[in-house]
Amino acid sequence: MRKAFHTIKVPFSSFFSLIMLFFPLISCSICYAESIDQVTNPKTANNTWVSDMADVIDDETEGQLNSLINSLEQSTSAEIAVVTVQTVADSTPKQFATDLFNLWKIGKKEKDNGALVLLVMDERRVEVETGYGVEGVLPDGKVGQILREQMVPRFKEGDFGK
């Protein structure tokens, strides 16, 4: 016994419209994923320290952060980069932070005195990567304390810039 197959004829324009309707849903996770090569290096782009790819820091606060980090660099030569991304592609937030820190070479070469603060919004993660030159000032315990007492409470309030 043969099975009967039914064919439904759909005009091409309708088919195309249907594909275009669902394309954003299919590609949504791709459009927000960043690789380290896609993150704008603020130092080389415009001589600043904040790269707000996730667009969660208002302009005034971003200006204040850049000003504070400039002052810190002038007085100590230490460098801090602040980066926000919606999500990371093919990586963990920790590995992404390490790779970005190494790619950008944050801190002075002879002092290795840089730090990177990375916010990954969809995973609700903050990672801090430090060079060996700042470990005396920012040991892991101190970084954890700053995260617990200062950053996480503000993040819970939706204030990612403070």
Side-chain angles (χ1 to χ4, degrees):
M1 176 180 232
R2 287 179 75 189
K3 291 185 179 182
F5 291 97
H6 299 284
T7 304
I8 300 173
K9 295 198 177 220
V10 178
F12 179 75
S13 61
S14 297
F15 178 74
F16 185 73
S17 297
L18 189 61
I19 294 295
M20 295 287 49
L21 177 68
F22 287 107
F23 183 74
L25 299 175
I26 295 167
S27 64
C28 183
S29 63
I30 297 169
C31 64
Y32 292 113
E34 279 109 10
S35 67
I36 61 168
D37 297 330
Q38 293 173 309
V39 179
T40 302
N41 182 333
K43 195 64 180 163
T44 59
N46 51 17
N47 202 31
T48 60
W49 304 101
V50 179
S51 183
D52 184 21
M53 302 290 292
D55 197 26
V56 295
I57 302 173
D58 64 77
D59 292 341
E60 180 181 346
T61 303
E62 187 172 327
Q64 291 171 347
L65 283 168
N66 282 313
S67 180
L68 284 169
I69 298 168
N70 272 332
S71 296
L72 177 73
E73 184 203 17
Q74 289 172 1
S75 63
T76 68
S77 81
E79 299 177 356
I80 300 174
V82 177
V83 177
T84 69
V85 295
Q86 194 61 41
T87 189
V88 293
D90 303 324
S91 185
T92 64
K94 178 62 177 162
Q95 188 61 52
F96 191 92
T98 301
D99 292 345
L100 193 60
F101 181 86
N102 291 330
L103 176 69
W104 288 359
K105 299 178 179 18
I106 302 165
K108 304 297 185 264
K109 183 178 181 177
E110 64 280 356
K111 295 184 177 183
D112 195 16
N113 61 346
L116 170 70
V117 178
L118 171 71
L119 279 71
V120 182
M121 303 309 295
D122 74 339
E123 294 191 39
R124 300 178 59 162
R125 292 285 308 222
V126 61
E127 297 289 342
V128 178
E129 190 72 25
T130 60
Y132 291 118
V134 296
E135 283 186 347
V137 179
L138 285 176
D140 290 343
K142 180 70 171 173
V143 170
Q145 179 184 8
I146 293 168
L147 291 174
R148 281 187 310 278
E149 295 176 6
Q150 301 295 320
M151 296 176 82
V152 172
R154 287 187 171 88
F155 292 171
K156 287 181 178 179
E157 296 169 0
D159 189 355
F160 301 103
K162 296 288 182 193

